[in-house]
Amino acid sequence: MEMRTVSLNIAVAPPKITTLPGSPAKNRKKEVGETKKSGKLPRTGLAMTCSVCYIRGHNKRGCPRRAPSAEPTAPAVATATGSGRGRGRPKKTPPEAPNVAPQGKSNGSGRGRGRPKVYYA
């Protein structure tokens, strides 16, 4: 297989990038010392307040007045017993099998739900 001969022409450089005329930039360019402002105020420099004893410097988790729990600290997992606030829609409980006959008339002549039964003689 033959190798290609080396070209004696100069190397071609890509064109220079220039900004094209058109609509201006949407945001103005910030200066060096300028910070980005948002709708919220910064929380830097604020001391936290405990919601149990209302003393500044710690929160509810680290409160010395809070009663220590008997069980070791573990991540809280929502159970089906309903303790605490659950996440999302509650799960359906399976219907239990009825041990007694349904209430009402058992011969089918009562006004029940659904389509009425038609009997032909």
Side-chain angles (χ1 to χ4, degrees):
M1 183 157 82
E2 290 184 30
M3 296 291 286
R4 209 184 311 172
T5 59
V6 178
S7 175
L8 298 175
N9 297 334
I10 58 172
V12 178
K16 293 180 181 178
I17 298 173
T18 57
T19 56
L20 299 174
S23 58
K26 292 185 178 184
N27 297 328
R28 70 176 178 85
K29 294 180 180 177
K30 306 278 194 280
E31 291 184 14
V32 176
E34 211 171 352
T35 60
K36 182 169 66 168
K37 294 182 182 180
S38 65
K40 296 182 181 181
L41 293 174
R43 293 180 62 171
T44 56
L46 294 177
M48 62 179 89
T49 305
C50 177
S51 61
V52 175
C53 61
Y54 301 103
I55 297 176
R56 298 180 95 183
H58 64 271
N59 57 7
K60 183 178 181 180
R61 184 176 177 188
C63 182
R65 291 189 187 178
R66 194 181 89 186
S69 61
E71 61 187 45
T73 57
V77 177
T79 59
T81 59
S83 63
R85 288 173 49 172
R87 301 264 181 179
R89 189 174 184 169
K91 294 185 177 182
K92 289 184 179 179
T93 56
E96 297 180 14
N99 295 340
V100 295
Q103 294 179 352
K105 298 178 182 177
S106 61
N107 61 1
S109 63
R111 297 186 67 167
R113 302 166 108 198
R115 193 170 181 173
K117 295 181 179 178
V118 179
Y119 296 102
Y120 296 104

